[in-house]
Amino acid sequence: MPSPPENSRSIVPPARVGFIGLGQMGQPMARNLARAGYGIVAHDVNRDALRRVCEATGAEALASLKSIGEHCEAVITMLPDGNAVRTVVLGRGAAGDCLLAGFSPGSVLIDMSSSSPLGTRTLGAQLAERGVAMIDAPVSGGVRKAADATLSIMAGGDAGIIARCRPILEAMGKQIFLTGSLGSGHAMKAINNYVSAAGLVAAAEGVLAAQRFGLDPGNVVDILNASTGMNNSTLNKFHRFILSRAFDSGFSLDLMVKDLKTALEVARSTASPARLAEACLEAWTEAQAALGPGVDHTAVVRHWEKLSGTELRKKPIDSAS
Ligand code: NAD
């Protein structure tokens, strides 16, 4: 049987894979790719993050984005947003260093960031003109699931290209969903985060009101978790990051606000009603302005606490019964 053309074969270890963006999520994801046997070619503007990943995984660091594009059939981006992805892929000006300068026909860009789906479609079309493929494959599950390689991955784009990249995705995730055409993974991710953000503030308002009514917030969360008001935030965030006052889930409030804006962009571009999404974005943006940059998204509750003049505190064990 004739062998399949080079650019339709799955990309399997020990292939070299470029990994750009080694933050909270990128670091553990790159580590899992290295564990699966891929050769990692890493890059981040933060030199410390780059050094940590190179030391932990044996990843190489090349001198330029162009050389990463030249040496890797597939390059993953795990950057804050689609604008950062665009800069890395196309460069800032005509002479800027960029992946596209090194890509050849058959190269694949896998954007795993939570980017805007409309920008993704535009970027994909620009790459296609040069024979370069693109899929969007954003993730859900946070830092814990990134570390365990159990992320949910929402993959949009040509099914044949996704199949070619599947072994790479499987090294980082447990469930890989095909969402449709290019950009549909990014649309899905934004919608997921809108529903998640709305669930967090709904629970925050409810738990605060219950405490002000005299209930113990730890007890309230336990009851929600055994009842129909349960959601991902009550199950996985309230005890661990909020009532503990740790506020360190590893996903920033700034990124959540970005995702809410993207979700509204999806709603508006499809003329869909988005009353709650509008209110949600307004509330999270207000919290962002009040709390300042760089805080964890679970700290959004502190803004609600301020508005109500009440801090969420579990009752001491002996008085909680
Ligand atoms: P992060 O801010 O921790 O990491 C982003 C990294 O990108 C940083 O190390 C930064 O130095 C680097 N970077 C920024 N611009 C760059 C550029 N032009 N060139 C090279 N490197 C650059 O963010 P994160 O929490 O790892 O999130 C990454 C993406 O994944 C975001 O789109 C986010 O919305 C999404 N996401 C995050 C989580 C989470 O729990 N943290 C979960 C799912 C999805």
Side-chain angles (χ1 to χ4, degrees):
M1 210 169 77
S3 50
E6 193 62 40
N7 64 9
S8 68
R9 283 204 205 108
S10 294
I11 305 169
V12 293
R16 279 163 127 191
V17 173
F19 205 112
I20 301 181
L22 307 164
Q24 296 276 2
M25 296 294 284
Q27 282 190 38
M29 290 164 70
R31 204 177 319 118
N32 285 326
L33 276 178
R35 277 192 193 127
Y38 287 100
I40 306 302
V41 182
H43 175 76
D44 196 297
V45 286
N46 178 333
R47 306 302 294 176
D48 288 338
L50 178 60
R51 185 183 37 77
R52 273 197 300 276
V53 167
C54 290
E55 283 172 6
T57 66
E60 299 171 74
L62 298 181
S64 65
L65 290 166
K66 177 175 182 253
S67 49
I68 297 176
E70 278 166 356
H71 287 94
C72 302
E73 188 180 340
V75 177
I76 294 170
T77 40
M78 194 55 181
L79 293 164
D81 57 29
N83 292 331
V85 175
R86 203 177 163 74
T87 303
V88 160
V89 176
L90 302 180
R92 267 185 216 285
D97 178 35
C98 65
L99 289 171
L100 187 58
F103 276 153
S104 41
S107 304
V108 192
L109 173 72
I110 307 174
D111 183 19
M112 303 191 78
S113 330
S114 305
S115 303
S116 149
L118 303 181
T120 298
R121 282 190 188 159
T122 306
L123 180 60
Q126 286 171 288
L127 290 174
E129 282 171 16
R130 301 276 294 269
V132 175
M134 175 176 184
I135 63 170
D136 49 324
V139 305
S140 185
V143 173
R144 185 169 57 83
K145 292 195 173 185
D148 296 348
T150 55
L151 291 165
S152 300
I153 301 182
M154 308 152 206
D158 179 273
I161 307 291
I162 295 171
R164 216 172 123 207
C165 299
R166 185 171 272 276
I168 295 176
L169 303 180
E170 283 175 345
M172 295 177 281
K174 186 170 163 199
Q175 285 186 286
I176 294 151
F177 297 97
L178 268 56
T179 49
S181 61
L182 185 68
S184 59
H186 282 152
M188 179 65 235
K189 171 63 187 173
I191 299 299
N192 175 74
N193 278 24
Y194 154 58
V195 173
S196 171
L200 175 45
V201 296
E205 289 184 356
V207 178
L208 262 170
Q211 175 174 317
R212 286 168 66 82
F213 200 77
L215 284 82
D216 169 54
N219 201 21
V220 172
V221 172
D222 291 341
I223 296 168
L224 287 171
N225 286 340
S227 311
T228 53
M230 150 215 329
N231 66 30
N232 179 57
S233 292
T234 64
L235 279 174
N236 296 314
K237 297 181 187 174
F238 263 80
H239 279 298
R240 193 154 167 220
F241 304 120
I242 296 169
L243 297 181
S244 69
R245 317 300 294 171
F247 302 118
D248 62 351
S249 77
F251 179 52
S252 74
L253 194 151
D254 298 328
L255 289 177
M256 184 65 107
V257 170
K258 176 248 330 183
D259 291 338
L260 284 167
K261 287 181 182 157
T262 307
L264 265 182
E265 195 181 289
V266 173
R268 285 179 186 144
S269 71
T270 52
S272 310
R275 289 185 209 164
L276 187 56
E278 302 261 9
C280 198
L281 173 61
E282 194 184 320
W284 279 80
T285 307
E286 186 186 290
Q288 183 186 36
L291 296 168
V295 300
D296 194 80
H297 81 288
T298 53
V300 73
V301 170
R302 284 178 23 220
H303 183 56
W304 264 256
E305 289 178 334
K306 220 160 145 203
L307 293 176
S308 66
T310 305
E311 195 171 282
L312 286 178
R313 288 273 169 210
K314 287 191 214 186
K315 284 190 180 155
I317 305 277
D318 57 347
S319 62
S321 54

